[in-house]
PDB file of all heavy atoms in Angstrom:
ATOM      1  N   TRP T  41     -10.038 -15.650  18.603  1.00 71.00           N
ATOM      2  CA  TRP T  41      -9.528 -16.942  18.949  1.00 71.00           C
ATOM      3  C   TRP T  41      -9.405 -17.874  17.697  1.00 71.00           C
ATOM      4  O   TRP T  41      -8.422 -18.589  17.569  1.00 71.00           O
ATOM      5  CB  TRP T  41     -10.445 -17.613  19.991  1.00 71.00           C
ATOM      6  CG  TRP T  41     -10.009 -19.024  20.344  1.00 71.00           C
ATOM      7  CD1 TRP T  41     -10.672 -20.183  19.979  1.00 71.00           C
ATOM      8  CD2 TRP T  41      -8.910 -19.422  21.089  1.00 71.00           C
ATOM      9  NE1 TRP T  41      -9.966 -21.264  20.467  1.00 71.00           N
ATOM     10  CE2 TRP T  41      -8.874 -20.802  21.152  1.00 71.00           C
ATOM     11  CE3 TRP T  41      -7.891 -18.698  21.743  1.00 71.00           C
ATOM     12  CZ2 TRP T  41      -7.907 -21.507  21.854  1.00 71.00           C
ATOM     13  CZ3 TRP T  41      -6.868 -19.371  22.401  1.00 71.00           C
ATOM     14  CH2 TRP T  41      -6.900 -20.823  22.494  1.00 71.00           C
ATOM     15  N   GLN T  42     -10.327 -17.741  16.783  1.00 69.00           N
ATOM     16  CA  GLN T  42     -10.247 -18.555  15.613  1.00 69.00           C
ATOM     17  C   GLN T  42      -9.078 -18.090  14.705  1.00 69.00           C
ATOM     18  O   GLN T  42      -8.341 -18.960  14.131  1.00 69.00           O
ATOM     19  CB  GLN T  42     -11.550 -18.389  14.768  1.00 69.00           C
ATOM     20  CG  GLN T  42     -12.763 -19.036  15.432  1.00 69.00           C
ATOM     21  CD  GLN T  42     -14.061 -18.829  14.639  1.00 69.00           C
ATOM     22  OE1 GLN T  42     -14.117 -17.934  13.710  1.00 69.00           O
ATOM     23  NE2 GLN T  42     -15.123 -19.524  15.013  1.00 69.00           N
ATOM     24  N   ARG T  43      -8.829 -16.829  14.647  1.00 70.00           N
ATOM     25  CA  ARG T  43      -7.670 -16.343  13.876  1.00 70.00           C
ATOM     26  C   ARG T  43      -6.383 -16.777  14.513  1.00 70.00           C
ATOM     27  O   ARG T  43      -5.435 -17.118  13.793  1.00 70.00           O
ATOM     28  CB  ARG T  43      -7.767 -14.823  13.772  1.00 70.00           C
ATOM     29  CG  ARG T  43      -8.975 -14.264  12.989  1.00 70.00           C
ATOM     30  CD  ARG T  43      -8.705 -14.303  11.471  1.00 70.00           C
ATOM     31  NE  ARG T  43      -7.629 -13.454  11.100  1.00 70.00           N
ATOM     32  CZ  ARG T  43      -7.734 -12.182  10.876  1.00 70.00           C
ATOM     33  NH1 ARG T  43      -8.967 -11.561  10.976  1.00 70.00           N
ATOM     34  NH2 ARG T  43      -6.730 -11.428  10.496  1.00 70.00           N
ATOM     35  N   ILE T  44      -6.255 -16.661  15.850  1.00 71.00           N
ATOM     36  CA  ILE T  44      -5.055 -17.046  16.534  1.00 71.00           C
ATOM     37  C   ILE T  44      -4.841 -18.540  16.434  1.00 71.00           C
ATOM     38  O   ILE T  44      -3.655 -18.990  16.250  1.00 71.00           O
ATOM     39  CB  ILE T  44      -5.104 -16.582  17.981  1.00 71.00           C
ATOM     40  CG1 ILE T  44      -5.070 -15.056  18.080  1.00 71.00           C
ATOM     41  CG2 ILE T  44      -3.933 -17.201  18.852  1.00 71.00           C
ATOM     42  CD1 ILE T  44      -5.193 -14.529  19.479  1.00 71.00           C
ATOM     43  N   SER T  45      -5.858 -19.344  16.546  1.00 74.00           N
ATOM     44  CA  SER T  45      -5.753 -20.803  16.484  1.00 74.00           C
ATOM     45  C   SER T  45      -5.325 -21.259  15.066  1.00 74.00           C
ATOM     46  O   SER T  45      -4.581 -22.294  15.005  1.00 74.00           O
ATOM     47  CB  SER T  45      -7.046 -21.434  16.832  1.00 74.00           C
ATOM     48  OG  SER T  45      -7.461 -21.068  18.113  1.00 74.00           O
ATOM     49  N   SER T  46      -5.713 -20.559  14.028  1.00 73.00           N
ATOM     50  CA  SER T  46      -5.367 -20.991  12.686  1.00 73.00           C
ATOM     51  C   SER T  46      -4.013 -20.468  12.195  1.00 73.00           C
ATOM     52  O   SER T  46      -3.584 -20.796  11.103  1.00 73.00           O
ATOM     53  CB  SER T  46      -6.456 -20.505  11.703  1.00 73.00           C
ATOM     54  OG  SER T  46      -6.542 -19.048  11.740  1.00 73.00           O
ATOM     55  N   SER T  47      -3.356 -19.634  13.053  1.00 69.00           N
ATOM     56  CA  SER T  47      -2.074 -19.073  12.648  1.00 69.00           C
ATOM     57  C   SER T  47      -0.947 -19.672  13.537  1.00 69.00           C
ATOM     58  O   SER T  47      -1.123 -19.879  14.760  1.00 69.00           O
ATOM     59  CB  SER T  47      -2.101 -17.559  12.799  1.00 69.00           C
ATOM     60  OG  SER T  47      -0.804 -17.033  12.497  1.00 69.00           O
ATOM     61  N   ASP T  48       0.185 -19.913  12.960  1.00 67.00           N
ATOM     62  CA  ASP T  48       1.389 -20.433  13.609  1.00 67.00           C
ATOM     63  C   ASP T  48       2.407 -19.385  13.937  1.00 67.00           C
ATOM     64  O   ASP T  48       3.413 -19.689  14.557  1.00 67.00           O
ATOM     65  CB  ASP T  48       2.022 -21.555  12.801  1.00 67.00           C
ATOM     66  CG  ASP T  48       1.143 -22.774  12.630  1.00 67.00           C
ATOM     67  OD1 ASP T  48       0.257 -22.969  13.472  1.00 67.00           O
ATOM     68  OD2 ASP T  48       1.309 -23.434  11.541  1.00 67.00           O
ATOM     69  N   SER T  49       2.101 -18.161  13.462  1.00 68.00           N
ATOM     70  CA  SER T  49       3.086 -17.043  13.701  1.00 68.00           C
ATOM     71  C   SER T  49       2.756 -16.360  15.015  1.00 68.00           C
ATOM     72  O   SER T  49       1.682 -15.794  15.206  1.00 68.00           O
ATOM     73  CB  SER T  49       3.028 -16.101  12.502  1.00 68.00           C
ATOM     74  OG  SER T  49       3.853 -14.965  12.729  1.00 68.00           O
ATOM     75  N   SER T  50       3.725 -16.318  15.931  1.00 65.00           N
ATOM     76  CA  SER T  50       3.543 -15.635  17.234  1.00 65.00           C
ATOM     77  C   SER T  50       3.441 -14.143  17.056  1.00 65.00           C
ATOM     78  O   SER T  50       2.718 -13.469  17.748  1.00 65.00           O
ATOM     79  CB  SER T  50       4.672 -16.017  18.174  1.00 65.00           C
ATOM     80  OG  SER T  50       5.897 -15.702  17.650  1.00 65.00           O
ATOM     81  N   SER T  51       4.280 -13.612  16.100  1.00 62.00           N
ATOM     82  CA  SER T  51       4.264 -12.155  15.890  1.00 62.00           C
ATOM     83  C   SER T  51       2.933 -11.667  15.306  1.00 62.00           C
ATOM     84  O   SER T  51       2.387 -10.689  15.639  1.00 62.00           O
ATOM     85  CB  SER T  51       5.425 -11.762  14.949  1.00 62.00           C
ATOM     86  OG  SER T  51       5.276 -12.444  13.698  1.00 62.00           O
ATOM     87  N   LEU T  52       2.359 -12.527  14.373  1.00 64.00           N
ATOM     88  CA  LEU T  52       1.070 -12.200  13.804  1.00 64.00           C
ATOM     89  C   LEU T  52      -0.011 -12.278  14.838  1.00 64.00           C
ATOM     90  O   LEU T  52      -0.927 -11.423  14.812  1.00 64.00           O
ATOM     91  CB  LEU T  52       0.794 -13.135  12.590  1.00 64.00           C
ATOM     92  CG  LEU T  52      -0.521 -12.891  11.883  1.00 64.00           C
ATOM     93  CD1 LEU T  52      -0.614 -11.480  11.286  1.00 64.00           C
ATOM     94  CD2 LEU T  52      -0.737 -13.947  10.783  1.00 64.00           C
ATOM     95  N   ASN T  53       0.034 -13.273  15.681  1.00 64.00           N
ATOM     96  CA  ASN T  53      -1.001 -13.407  16.750  1.00 64.00           C
ATOM     97  C   ASN T  53      -0.882 -12.235  17.749  1.00 64.00           C
ATOM     98  O   ASN T  53      -1.960 -11.750  18.212  1.00 64.00           O
ATOM     99  CB  ASN T  53      -0.768 -14.774  17.508  1.00 64.00           C
ATOM    100  CG  ASN T  53      -1.075 -15.904  16.640  1.00 64.00           C
ATOM    101  OD1 ASN T  53      -1.804 -15.829  15.670  1.00 64.00           O
ATOM    102  ND2 ASN T  53      -0.526 -17.080  16.985  1.00 64.00           N
TER     103      ASN T  53
END
Side-chain angles (χ1 to χ4, degrees):
W41 177 252
Q42 291 176 349
R43 295 278 296 275
I44 291 177
S45 302
S46 60
S47 177
D48 297 332
S49 174
S50 58
S51 60
L52 180 60
N53 291 338

